[in-house]
Amino acid sequence: MESEVLRVRAHRKSLEVLPKVRRINTVASEYPDLTNYLYVTYGAEENSIRYDLNAGNNIVVLGSGAYRIGSSVEFDWCSVNAASTCRKLGYKSIMINYNPETVSTDYDMCDRLYFDELSFERVMDIIDLEAPRGVIVSVGGQIPNNLAMKLYRRHVPGHARSARHRPAALEGAHHHRGHRQLCRGGRIPRSHPSKLRAIRRSHERVLRLRADASLPRTGRQGFQGVPCSRF
């Protein structure tokens, strides 16, 4: 599927069918739009803002998308703090998130906010325009984490440079096999998934597990920690 998407994308770009960026009208056209609220559309002939592909000081932060069970305010807090830290370090912070609650109450928390979908296609369109120095995927939960490997394969610069923090390691820790190998390599005690599932079913099993297992011990949790999987 990914290769087909890339072929269609390359063909679209070869035909110069490119989306444009427009400002969201926040004042009902009564005054000129000067906000940093942006969206991407094919229904425009030019961008509302100017891009400098040689600036090299932009950092893109991928948000968490819409609120859902187990994925809400904590990821917004992480995304906003990541954007704020980028600005403190002298970078322009660019956030992509289709959940307007992320920074709607503090619109100046980032330099540009794209209210748009967190799909591979749309994120790549924005990255082509922004030419960022790095993209932060690890603060928004499952949706941006699922894009980590796709962006890595397209040579999009990440926020972590060391080998142990590459997207492959991030994804590996998410899956049972990868997490097991990670713990074995570091000689870290690990609870079996079946025992962790038993915790949710019975208080007696919790006490039995505590008696049988030497603590502390690690347990794998997925990209998105929904309540039914937490322990």
Side-chain angles (χ1 to χ4, degrees):
M1 179 64 72
E2 184 178 343
S3 60
E4 295 176 358
V5 170
L6 292 173
R7 283 198 296 270
V8 173
R9 174 178 171 79
H11 183 61
R12 171 176 65 78
K13 294 178 69 174
S14 69
L15 298 176
E16 296 186 358
V17 180
L18 305 174
K20 303 299 180 181
V21 173
R22 305 297 295 178
R23 281 193 174 95
I24 295 177
N25 191 333
T26 58
V27 290
S29 298
E30 186 176 356
Y31 303 100
D33 295 331
L34 298 177
T35 64
N36 58 350
Y37 291 167
L38 308 169
Y39 68 99
V40 181
T41 178
Y42 286 98
E45 296 183 356
E46 60 182 12
N47 296 320
S48 294
I49 59 177
R50 293 183 179 182
Y51 291 96
D52 184 3
L53 298 179
N54 298 317
N57 65 334
N58 295 346
I59 300 292
V60 172
V61 179
L62 302 186
S64 60
Y67 285 177
R68 61 185 62 79
I69 295 176
S71 173
S72 55
V73 179
E74 66 271 23
F75 288 132
D76 277 350
W77 184 90
C78 293
S79 300
V80 171
N81 274 272
S84 177
T85 300
C86 289
R87 298 184 77 177
K88 290 178 181 178
L89 294 175
Y91 298 105
K92 286 187 176 180
S93 61
I94 315 296
M95 182 176 289
I96 307 174
N97 200 358
Y98 56 84
N99 173 20
E101 292 301 320
T102 303
V103 291
S104 62
T105 55
D106 297 297
Y107 64 90
D108 58 349
M109 287 296 294
C110 56
D111 293 284
R112 290 174 187 158
L113 174 63
Y114 289 89
F115 285 140
D116 225 308
E117 62 186 39
L118 286 163
S119 65
F120 172 73
E121 177 80 2
R122 181 58 72 238
V123 170
M124 285 300 300
D125 287 336
I126 296 173
I127 287 174
D128 287 345
L129 292 169
E130 293 287 354
R133 182 171 181 176
V135 178
I136 299 178
V137 302
S138 60
V139 295
Q142 185 173 2
I143 294 178
N145 272 307
N146 286 339
L147 295 176
M149 285 303 299
K150 294 181 180 180
L151 298 177
Y152 180 68
R153 285 191 286 267
R154 301 311 300 164
H155 306 291
V156 174
H159 66 292
R161 298 295 181 182
S162 62
R164 62 180 178 177
H165 292 146
R166 286 177 180 171
L170 181 68
E171 183 169 304
H174 165 62
H175 298 289
H176 286 293
R177 180 178 300 177
H179 182 262
R180 182 170 62 249
Q181 293 174 348
L182 180 66
C183 290
R184 284 180 177 175
R187 297 183 179 181
I188 303 172
R190 174 181 178 269
S191 295
H192 193 276
S194 62
K195 292 185 178 181
L196 295 178
R197 286 193 294 269
I199 292 177
R200 305 197 304 266
R201 302 184 186 127
S202 169
H203 178 66
E204 294 179 357
R205 293 185 178 182
V206 174
L207 298 178
R208 193 183 312 157
L209 174 62
R210 186 181 67 178
D212 296 340
S214 59
L215 300 177
R217 188 169 285 261
T218 64
R220 185 199 68 87
Q221 182 168 302
F223 285 159
Q224 176 182 334
V226 295
C228 64
S229 298
R230 287 181 175 170
F231 56 89

